[in-house]
Amino acid sequence: MDGRQIIGSSGSATIDPAGGEIPTANETGSATAATTIRVASVPASHVYVRHLSPVNGTVSELDTGKVSVTRLADPVPADGAKVPGGWWPPLMLDPSWIAQHHNDFDVFHIHFGFDAVEPSVMSAVVAELRKHGKPLVYTLHDLRNPHHPDPGAHEEVLDILVPAADELITPTHGAADAISRRWNRAATVIPHPHVIPPARFGPREPATDDFVVGVHAKSVRANMDPLPVILTLLDAASDYPDVTIQINLHDEIFVPGNHWYNPDFGTAALALSRHPYASVRVHEYFDDDQLWDYLQGLSVSVLPYRFGTHSGWLEACHDLGTAVIAPSCGFYHEQRDCFTYELTEDRFDPDSLVAALADAYENRPVPALWPDRRTERISIAEQHAALYTRVLHA
């Protein structure tokens, strides 16, 4: 698989910087014992990170021998604050935490959670890791932060993280090429793991005979421009006998003082409920089961993103057999098979969205199969175990 890198076997043991030996394959190719590598993942509780581990917690079988990767639990903030995907803010992204806990991990692996981290703090995090000889791995999910209207703050942190990382990972070749062009760094391409739990895989059971097109405006974060997309879809719906445009938004956009307060969009969205092809729903954040039920009830999910890079939402749709119409920005089209339309910060082509809807209507996807996703997850776990092994010997 693309991006897989296996350490060559030498038939001898190597000293682990954290102490102890890392056993390698002997001359017959068998391993004598499993090596444990302790990883401080930021954040460990995010579904992406949780699904980097082998199924059922088994070890990874590498050419160099067996490797067991254990991930530290997320430290819980004093106020217990959480966001979807983890505790907030992630306490590991603090040089003082690293100073106190550097003996508890072998590798530091950053994924998400530094939206509000100042460049000076990230530089201090890198310096503290270097001080204690701890390798840094960074999985670059977002070349452009979907929560920031301006790219500058995110890019400042990327300009620290990408050059400093001992190893880089990214989910698509397009993103790897962008990393190479901008920073002259090679990134290992490892695909996004499954998102839904194994028990949710299986045949689709549509709740309605209608072809339901979902536009989930969420809380209208910075990279979203839902109204032009919704209006185009509503116009196109009249060409079909059974199309419903379902518009979902979070109730917090109606709460004064909330960070996501957006009454103008909320009022405009509610007004669309009078449209004959529209169904407008306002609700709190879905929990996981509610989200899977919602996505499985859609025929297609349209992502109204003006900028972005990759998407866990898209990945969940792939798992459930829900088609995705993704914008042309970013690398969504490389992540999984999907339909695309032209939407960027500078341009929206309504005709391309109408054409994508027609393609999605005629070509219904089938759900992913758990045996295939399980095999892929095992491979993803092996690739991470190999990369962690390599970075400890660099």
Side-chain angles (χ1 to χ4, degrees), residues 122-176:
M122 188 61 77
S123 293
V125 165
V126 170
E128 195 67 26
L129 291 170
R130 292 287 174 265
K131 176 181 177 181
H132 299 287
K134 300 297 179 177
L136 169 63
V137 176
Y138 174 44
T139 296
L140 199 159
H141 297 272
D142 299 311
L143 284 158
R144 176 74 188 273
N145 190 309
H147 301 286
H148 292 178
D150 182 271
H154 186 67
E155 290 181 349
E156 280 189 66
V157 177
L158 291 185
D159 283 339
I160 296 167
L161 273 179
V162 175
D166 296 282
E167 289 279 354
L168 294 167
I169 301 170
T170 198
T172 61
H173 289 282

Side-chain angles (χ1 to χ4, degrees), residues 275-292:
H275 194 286
Y277 300 111
S279 171
V280 180
R281 303 182 181 184
V282 181
H283 53 80
E284 296 180 346
Y285 277 88
F286 287 144
D287 64 26
D288 284 352
D289 285 332
Q290 290 172 328
L291 180 58
W292 312 147

Side-chain angles (χ1 to χ4, degrees), residues 308-321:
T309 313
H310 303 110
S311 169
W313 189 277
L314 182 153
E315 206 73 33
C317 289
H318 171 72
D319 290 341
L320 293 164

